[in-house]
Amino acid sequence: MNAAKPPEGLSERAQAFWVEVVGSYVVDDAPGRELLLRACQAIDLADSARAVYLADGLTVTTRLGEVRAHPMVAVERDARLAIARLLRELRITEEPDDHRPPKLGGRR
């Protein structure tokens, strides 16, 4: 498989992300490509969920009349968390420098 060519079934945005990542980083093993594929799929899922709740509104009313957050808000959140974790696993994101000493003990 040509690592530079994105897999089928991804949106244009996810395909562009794939191309950018493999053009900037070495992703030449099957596990790395799988992690990248999952990150791209999570990008598509998050974008799809966002489109649904933007069209429907941030809240829904249940059959009992309760107002709740749209279920797609949670889908988007979970997909975005998955993206962050997958990119961290791929080691293509860097942790910001934090020169503060670690917290010791609890609150005062």
Side-chain angles (χ1 to χ4, degrees):
M1 172 183 165
N2 179 1
K5 185 174 186 270
E8 305 258 336
L10 297 175
S11 69
E12 286 184 25
R13 179 166 123 75
Q15 288 179 16
F17 182 76
W18 175 284
V19 170
E20 177 69 27
V21 168
V22 298
S24 301
Y25 300 93
V26 177
V27 186
D28 59 357
D29 62 333
R33 286 192 303 272
E34 184 66 22
L35 289 172
L36 180 56
L37 171 62
R38 298 299 175 196
C40 290
Q41 290 170 335
I43 288 170
D44 285 345
L45 178 60
D47 289 350
S48 295
R50 182 174 183 81
V52 170
Y53 77 71
L54 287 177
D56 294 350
L58 285 173
T59 59
V60 294
T61 304
T62 68
R63 62 183 174 86
L64 299 175
E66 299 170 321
V67 176
R68 302 234 172 150
H70 196 294
M72 291 298 112
V73 172
V75 171
E76 182 193 24
R77 179 199 61 223
D78 293 348
R80 300 253 180 247
L81 287 170
I83 294 164
R85 289 177 181 146
L86 289 160
L87 295 181
R88 188 173 56 236
E89 286 295 316
L90 281 166
R91 297 184 181 174
I92 63 173
T93 59
E94 294 183 21
E95 303 244 348
D97 288 337
D98 189 350
H99 300 290
R100 297 178 294 174
K103 287 185 177 181
L104 300 174
R107 292 183 165 176
R108 291 185 187 225

